Amino acid sequence: MRRFKAGSAGIAVAALALTLAACGSDSGDSDSNTESEGDTSSADLNAELTWWDTSDATNEAPAYDKLIEKFNEEYPDVTIKHETVPFDQTQNKFKTAAESGSGAPDILRAEVAWTPEFASLGYLYALDGTAALENNFLETPLSSNVYEGKTYGVPQVTDTLGLMYNKALFEKAGLDPEAPPTTWDEVTEAAKALKSKAKVDGIYLNSGGYFLLPFMYGEGADLVDVDGQAITVNSPEAATGIQTAQDMVKDGTSVKPTANDPYGTMMTLFKEQKVAMIINGPWEVAGISDDPNFGGIENLGVAPVPAGGAGQGAPVGGHNYVVYSGMDDQKAEAAAAFIAFMSSAESEAFIADELGLLPGNADAYDMVTNERVALWADAMEVAQPRPWIAEGGQFFAPLDEMATEVLIQDKPVQPSLDKVAETYKSDVVPDYSLQ
């Protein structure tokens, strides 16, 4: 499998010959501000740690329990209390517990946008100089953990958006399933062939702001310019990208998204082979390939998001392991050792093979055999960081409203983007300048 560009977090921890193909790492003395002073053997670590895990309790958590069992073979005196918590409740639940100083977990599975927010509030333990950063992480996923020069987490899993397409429908339309569209113009041409020959719709563009980022990135635009402290969501380049998406709906290249549950409708139409292309992420691969109407994993193609005038670009997503700041150094050292183990190449390859999730550890990709992961190798090459600021999680509600306006209500693009920019200025980043 293709090796992705790795970050500068260091080399992978040494592998152990485990039947599960999972490994651990020795940990070093650490605190939230200083470098490690020396190695400590696993026998010296003694702690009880609570881990809030926001993954699926039924389908994903059992795989992590297997890794915890292997972790305890090396660290018998570190008890991990694995608690699955609802994803949609965890952000506020963690903030409330951390602010009160009572009830926060020692370790948290944090969505990437939460990490800079929690770090800005002082709720996370900086991991610089600890065992947690001794693995070889992909540069873009790792970037979500860096805030004001310190690293507050490591990638647990990563993801991005890609062009997902139906190979059988491509063949029926006379298109090469091994050469999917690489630009939005090529998507339009493919859609014409799919309609005339395969008698299906070409693509369904979901009316969610996150799913329109590839159109903006493809023109070299972004939501804000962090270095320049400027709001750029309504720039001419951003408007060009969103106009491309709107034009695809207007000219019939894309199905017009439904006002009610557009995402669910998109997935139903794709699985039922009524639409040939969608923009979505690896979290849907299992559901698509297992659906009896679709035709199996061999019928699913995945390619990088098509390019705009400035190239290809898709947002990076995923989850991170982070550590609560309100703990003593001994517990923090044990937490770092646990994170090092769970994010090792061997552990992440195991999770990838079991669950089809994309590793954040660069070295894991050479070990993964799950073809669902292999599908995303090229798409991950064009994944790019989002603005990793404390307010980053607040960008998407206004962006969702804009997407609904331009794709469903057919409102003019520039005024809708201007409204997003004004909301960013008033409610999200008031210190940033408007265009």
Side-chain angles (χ1 to χ4, degrees):
M1 182 179 294
R2 175 176 303 194
R3 174 69 62 84
F4 302 127
K5 184 177 181 182
S8 57
I11 61 173
V13 292
L16 297 178
L18 302 176
T19 58
L20 189 58
C23 83
S25 170
D26 289 343
S27 62
D29 294 327
S30 66
D31 60 27
S32 61
N33 299 298
T34 61
E35 296 296 308
S36 60
E37 299 176 354
D39 291 334
T40 302
S41 72
S42 59
D44 293 332
L45 290 180
N46 189 314
E48 181 174 318
L49 302 171
T50 298
W51 173 31
W52 279 6
D53 177 12
T54 60
S55 68
D56 183 90
T58 301
N59 299 316
E60 296 181 338
Y64 294 110
D65 285 332
K66 292 180 181 179
L67 286 180
I68 291 171
E69 291 177 8
K70 286 299 178 182
F71 171 79
N72 283 137
E73 291 180 8
E74 185 180 356
Y75 295 90
D77 296 323
V78 178
T79 301
I80 305 297
K81 187 179 180 182
H82 183 195
E83 298 181 358
T84 55
V85 290
F87 174 80
D88 59 355
Q89 301 174 21
T90 302
Q91 183 179 16
N92 289 332
K93 185 177 180 180
F94 179 80
K95 288 167 66 175
T96 299
E99 183 178 7
S100 69
S102 176
D106 303 299
I107 302 162
L108 174 68
R109 179 185 187 258
E111 200 272 340
V112 289
W114 302 352
T115 304
E117 178 191 9
F118 293 162
S120 74
L121 295 170
Y123 297 159
L124 300 184
Y125 191 100
L127 298 175
D128 305 275
T130 73
L133 294 183
E134 292 178 1
N135 289 309
N136 187 30
F137 298 108
L138 297 170
E139 182 176 356
T140 299
L142 182 64
S143 69
S144 68
N145 294 282
V146 180
Y147 182 77
E148 294 189 346
K150 293 184 178 180
T151 305
Y152 290 92
V154 303
Q156 185 210 34
V157 296
T158 190
D159 61 54
T160 192
L161 295 174
L163 179 71
M164 305 174 78
Y165 62 96
N166 185 309
K167 291 183 177 182
L169 292 179
F170 266 49
E171 290 180 345
K172 190 174 181 180
L175 302 171
D176 184 354
E178 303 307 320
T182 60
T183 67
W184 298 117
D185 286 343
E186 289 180 6
V187 169
T188 296
E189 291 304 309
K192 293 177 182 177
L194 287 157
K195 283 191 175 183
S196 63
K197 298 179 181 179
K199 308 302 180 185
V200 297
D201 286 306
I203 191 169
Y204 188 117
L205 297 179
N206 179 45
S207 56
Y210 187 79
F211 294 85
L212 292 187
L213 288 180
F215 289 92
M216 298 178 66
Y217 291 171
E219 301 299 332
D222 208 336
L223 304 180
V224 297
D225 174 4
V226 176
D227 292 335
Q229 299 280 283
I231 296 167
T232 58
V233 68
N234 61 333
S235 68
E237 295 79 9
T240 296
I242 301 303
Q243 188 65 59
T244 297
Q246 187 182 64
D247 289 346
M248 290 171 67
V249 173
K250 284 183 175 182
D251 67 19
T253 296
S254 170
V255 177
K256 185 173 183 177
T258 57
N260 182 37
D261 192 17
Y263 184 92
T265 301
M266 173 181 70
M267 295 312 303
T268 296
L269 292 176
F270 188 67
K271 292 174 183 177
E272 292 180 351
Q273 304 197 65
K274 295 177 181 177
V275 64
M277 295 177 283
I278 60 173
I279 302 296
N280 215 330
W283 53 86
E284 286 290 0
V285 171
I288 293 168
S289 58
D290 292 345
D291 191 285
N293 297 309
F294 187 75
I297 188 70
E298 63 275 6
N299 192 35
L300 178 63
V302 177
V305 292
Q312 294 167 295
V316 70
H319 295 83
N320 301 321
Y321 290 110
V322 298
V323 176
Y324 174 50
S325 59
M327 63 172 65
D328 59 36
D329 288 350
Q330 182 178 1
K331 288 191 74 173
E333 186 177 6
F338 176 69
I339 289 174
F341 180 94
M342 297 294 282
S343 61
S344 71
E346 292 75 20
S347 293
E348 291 205 1
F350 168 73
I351 293 299
D353 281 338
E354 288 284 299
L355 305 178
L357 302 177
L358 275 59
N361 187 315
D363 296 329
Y365 286 86
D366 289 335
M367 306 175 184
V368 175
T369 61
N370 190 325
E371 58 186 330
R372 294 175 178 175
V373 175
L375 285 172
W376 290 88
D378 291 336
M380 281 299 300
E381 293 287 350
V382 303
Q384 67 181 63
R386 286 144 56 186
W388 301 127
I389 60 176
E391 302 85 356
Q394 301 175 50
F395 285 140
F396 290 98
L399 209 64
D400 288 342
E401 184 176 346
M402 178 276 300
T404 296
E405 289 180 355
V406 300
L407 295 188
I408 297 177
Q409 300 172 0
D410 196 26
K411 291 186 177 182
V413 168
Q414 190 65 60
S416 292
L417 286 174
D418 289 342
K419 187 165 65 173
V420 176
E422 291 164 3
T423 302
Y424 285 3
K425 178 66 176 176
S426 62
D427 299 345
V428 183
V429 283
D431 293 336
Y432 280 38
S433 63
L434 286 167
Q435 288 277 342

